[in-house]
């Protein structure tokens, strides 16, 4: 079965999505500095293809709403 993984980390806010569904999300108080990407295939059959490694960024987007009550 082929799966799509989207994995990222922005300022210690890490997340992983599988086939578009958020699987895990956490805040790391001591994040690692940007660097290398690694894969481990211990006791599994793993084929990696179409990989993209990109720098991520975020912009603050203030939102507000009017109460309906």
């Amino acid at each position: 079965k082929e799966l799509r993984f989207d994995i990222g980390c922005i300022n210690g806010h890490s997340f992983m999505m599988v086939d578009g569904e958020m699987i895990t999300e956490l805040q790391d108080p001591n994040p690692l500095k940007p660097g290398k990407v690694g894969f481990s295939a211990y006791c599994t059959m793993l084929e990696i293809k179409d990989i993209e490694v990109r720098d991520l960024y975020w912009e603050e987007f203030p939102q507000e709403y009017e109460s309906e009550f």
Side-chain angles (χ1 to χ4, degrees):
K1 180 179 179 181
E2 187 172 303
L3 301 171
R4 177 188 170 97
F5 287 82
D6 295 294
I7 304 168
C9 184
I10 302 172
N11 296 330
H13 176 214
S14 302
F15 59 90
M16 180 171 71
M17 298 175 68
V18 178
D19 289 336
E21 181 181 342
M22 182 74 73
I23 299 300
T24 186
E25 183 176 23
L26 61 95
Q27 184 67 40
D28 186 347
N30 299 306
L32 298 174
K33 293 181 180 179
K36 300 179 181 180
V37 175
F39 298 94
S40 176
Y42 179 73
C43 292
T44 188
M45 294 176 63
L46 180 64
E47 178 182 349
I48 299 170
K49 59 184 179 180
D50 300 326
I51 185 171
E52 288 184 40
V53 178
R54 298 182 274 168
D55 284 334
L56 299 177
Y57 72 95
W58 67 277
E59 296 176 10
E60 188 162 337
F61 185 73
Q63 299 182 48
E64 56 185 69
Y65 68 95
E66 293 185 28
S67 176
E68 296 181 16
F69 306 101

